């Protein structure tokens, strides 16, 4: 059974940093691209970042470029999101998701989500 | 960026009815359209990808159609567990934009 379990969320002050983790199991982690998707309270879904199966390629939405870094440790089957210079508008539930690339790009498994609140 | 416009924003229906949700892309996405269902307090669940391909384990009362810029999700014979929010997603290119969602409520 595919499982994605996020951790590392909580309350953080504006301008500070936070690192999210996502432990994957039930599939061969290093065969799949992975992603983070967020959802602000009572709002819709927003793609945040994507990393290729081997970590060689990363992609970000414009609003987080230069502030967030997606990475992975295939030996540990773990995905990360380093979030720096956090802003109030980054407040959201962050989901780890497995990204499929054929025949289109879509997220077939999602974690339960972890809440990040940016507030003083 | 490709903009995804969903309609309606909300929809009230009864058990047993059929409903259709539409998604309009700001440019041709060549069938690269994805649908998700999300229940309150839960993570999204994949329903359909490639505009028409039903994910394994999803009931056949769900179906997708469309091409170019216009896509639809149809749910036949609504069941109590279908009352949830539904999102479409651009599956063509980054940024993978989502529609704003359609909340399906019990009438």
């Amino acid at each position: 059974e595919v499982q994605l379990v996020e951790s590392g969320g909580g309350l953080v002050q504006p301008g500070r940093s936070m690192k999210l983790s996502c432990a994957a199991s039930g599939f061969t982690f290093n065969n799949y691209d992975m992603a983070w998707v967020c959802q602000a309270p009572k709002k819709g879904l927003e793609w945040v970042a994507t990393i290729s199966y081997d970590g060689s390629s990363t992609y970000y939405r414009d609003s987080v470029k230069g502030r967030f870094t997606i990475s992975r440790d295939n030996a540990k089957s773990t995905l990360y999101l380093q979030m720096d210079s956090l802003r109030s508008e980054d407040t959201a539930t962050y989901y780890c998701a497995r990204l499929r690339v054929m025949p289109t790009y879509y997220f077939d498994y999602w974690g339960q989500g972890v809440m990040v609140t940016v507030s003083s | 960026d490709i903009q995804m416009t969903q309609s309606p924003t909300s929809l009230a229906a009864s058990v047993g009815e059929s409903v259709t949700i539409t998604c309009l892309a700001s440019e041709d996405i060549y069938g690269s359209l994805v649908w998700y269902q999300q229940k309150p307090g839960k993570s999204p669940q994949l329903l359909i990808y490639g505009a028409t391909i039903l994910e394994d384990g999803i009931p056949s009362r769900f179906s997708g159609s469309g091409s170019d810029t216009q896509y639809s999700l149809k749910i036949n014979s609504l069941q109590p567990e279908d009352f949830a929010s539904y999102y479409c997603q651009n599956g063509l290119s980054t940024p993978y934009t989502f529609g704003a969602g359609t909340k399906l409520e019990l009438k």
Side-chain angles (χ1 to χ4, degrees), chain A residues 39 45 95 104-105 107 110-111, chain B residues 32 36 38 43 89 91 96 98:
Chain A
Q39 185 170 34
L45 299 163
Y95 296 101
T104 67
Y105 292 96
F107 307 103
W110 300 62
Chain B
S32 299
Y36 301 91
Q38 186 179 32
S43 53
Q89 177 226 318
Y96 303 123
F98 291 83

Side-chain angles (χ1 to χ4, degrees), chain B residues 20-23 33 35 48 51 63-66 70-74:
Chain B
T20 298
I21 298 167
T22 63
C23 187
L33 193 282
W35 291 101
I48 288 169
S63 64
S65 63
Q70 297 190 333
Y71 298 88
S72 297
L73 172 69
K74 186 174 183 180

Side-chain angles (χ1 to χ4, degrees), chain A residues 21-102:
Chain A
S21 299
C22 171
S25 61
F27 65 103
T28 304
F29 184 69
N30 58 12
N31 282 355
Y32 292 88
D33 294 4
M34 298 294 295
W36 290 95
V37 178
C38 73
Q39 185 170 34
K42 305 295 186 183
K43 300 293 186 183
L45 299 163
E46 283 192 336
W47 167 77
V48 176
T50 292
I51 187 167
S52 61
Y53 67 99
D54 61 356
S56 63
S57 298
T58 57
Y59 306 89
Y60 300 91
R61 65 178 298 109
D62 285 348
S63 62
V64 307
K65 279 180 187 174
R67 300 189 300 122
F68 289 13
T69 303
I70 188 171
S71 62
R72 63 193 296 161
D73 184 336
N74 283 345
K76 295 182 178 180
S77 296
T78 302
L79 177 72
Y80 303 101
L81 185 67
Q82 176 68 43
M83 303 184 292
D84 298 325
S85 304
L86 281 161
R87 306 168 180 168
S88 58
E89 54 265 37
D90 296 321
T91 294
T93 295
Y94 285 76
Y95 296 101
C96 162
R98 191 173 80 171
L99 177 64
R100 305 301 299 275
V101 302
M102 289 292 292

Side-chain angles (χ1 to χ4, degrees), chain B residues 4 9 19 24 43 49 52 63 66 71 77 86 90 94-95 102-103:
Chain B
M4 307 300 289
T9 302
V19 298
L24 180 67
S43 53
Y49 60 95
T52 62
S63 64
Y71 298 88
S77 187
Y86 293 85
N90 145 42
T94 58
T102 295
K103 188 173 184 179

